[in-house]
Amino acid sequence: SSSFETGAMADGPPSVAVAPTNPDEPAAGSPAEGEEKVKKLNLFGFELKAKQSTAKKALGISLACFGILNVLGLPFVLPRLRRFSGAPYMPLDPALNDMLFKRVLSRAKMEFPEPRMVDLGSGDGRVVVQAALQGYHATGVEINPYLVFLSRRKAAAAGAHNARFVWGNIWTYDLSATDVVYFFGRPGGGVMSRFRSRVESPGSRVAYAVSSHFDVPGWERALLQNSNGIRLYDVRKMSQQ
């Protein structure tokens, strides 16, 4: 019995073979040579995996798209800023556009054989094009360069040679050579009061003003006609005592 125990202790604990390590061999779990690292991204609780180069490309494309959307969308936001404050782009209904010239502005056409008309915030140019086809010398002022480009294309296609479009601020445009001014404003923000002040400013020669859908405060006695929300004002009555 004692000899057995002595022999077991002499043999010692069992030996374990250890393989030699290769310093050039990647550690377990690490990418092999030439293999791209995989990036993990936790997005709203979802784990996304992508190669590093793919992730960089996706980020670059996202930033580029964000920049393009901002550039394209800025002209549509400008009318809401105080300096350019006007109305958002809202095309006039075609039926109302026809009525504007057949019924509302017939008085102005009789007084001025070739009226000079300005549309402040001309949008896609439909009012200006129609005015030019009716014998007006019509100008559209628009802050959105894309709509100015579209308007010029429409005028050329319609043969409206007396139509022109200006990329600019409606509140600084010169009205000294204008007989009729058209404006599609909006309630609130003092926009309609600002339109009144602009038309009544020194140097303005506007005889008739048309407001689509909204009253001009303080011009009650100058109102000549209201047809389906299209209001015609004789601005000269405001200067009469």
Side-chain angles (χ1 to χ4, degrees):
S1 172
S2 61
S3 63
F4 174 78
E5 292 176 358
T6 306
M9 292 178 62
D11 293 339
S15 60
V16 178
V18 179
T21 58
N22 184 355
D24 297 328
E25 183 179 342
S30 62
E33 185 178 355
E35 183 180 344
E36 282 193 77
K37 292 182 179 180
V38 175
K39 291 288 186 180
K40 293 183 180 180
L41 177 64
N42 193 306
L43 186 63
F44 302 112
F46 296 94
E47 188 178 84
L48 304 177
K49 296 181 180 181
K51 292 183 178 180
Q52 191 169 3
S53 60
T54 304
K56 287 182 178 179
K57 288 180 181 178
L59 178 61
I61 293 174
S62 299
L63 292 175
C65 290
F66 180 76
I68 292 172
L69 288 175
N70 275 274
V71 170
L72 293 177
L74 181 61
F76 294 94
V77 178
L78 282 175
R80 300 308 300 268
L81 301 179
R82 175 61 186 168
R83 182 180 176 186
F84 307 100
S85 181
Y89 170 53
M90 187 176 296
L92 183 65
D93 182 86
L96 293 179
N97 197 18
D98 290 337
M99 185 192 69
L100 172 64
F101 294 96
K102 291 179 179 179
R103 292 172 53 185
V104 178
L105 285 176
S106 57
R107 183 193 304 257
K109 193 68 167 61
M110 291 177 62
E111 183 175 345
F112 303 100
E114 294 184 349
R116 298 164 299 179
M117 179 178 180
V118 172
D119 182 357
L120 296 177
S122 53
D124 64 0
R126 63 183 61 193
V127 172
V128 175
V129 170
Q130 182 77 348
L133 295 176
Q134 297 293 326
Y136 289 73
H137 292 281
T139 300
V141 184
E142 174 59 49
I143 192 63
N144 189 324
Y146 310 127
L147 292 178
V148 172
F149 175 77
L150 175 63
S151 300
R152 289 171 178 169
R153 294 288 299 271
K154 291 178 66 173
H161 304 297
N162 285 339
R164 77 184 193 97
F165 296 92
V166 177
W167 177 30
N169 187 348
I170 61 175
W171 304 119
T172 59
Y173 186 77
D174 182 13
L175 297 176
S176 61
T178 304
D179 303 313
V180 180
V181 63
Y182 173 85
F183 183 58
F184 194 142
R186 64 178 173 87
V191 172
M192 300 309 298
S193 296
R194 195 176 182 186
F195 169 66
R196 173 189 172 181
S197 299
R198 184 72 191 91
V199 174
E200 292 181 346
S201 63
S204 172
R205 296 292 183 268
V206 175
Y208 294 101
V210 179
S211 173
S212 182
H213 298 296
F214 303 108
D215 291 313
V216 180
W219 276 4
E220 289 77 12
R221 64 189 178 94
L223 181 63
L224 299 178
Q225 185 178 348
N226 184 350
S227 298
N228 294 336
I230 307 296
R231 295 162 172 78
L232 175 66
Y233 296 91
D234 187 341
V235 181
R236 295 165 296 185
K237 287 189 175 184
M238 301 307 302
S239 59
Q240 297 173 0
Q241 301 297 329

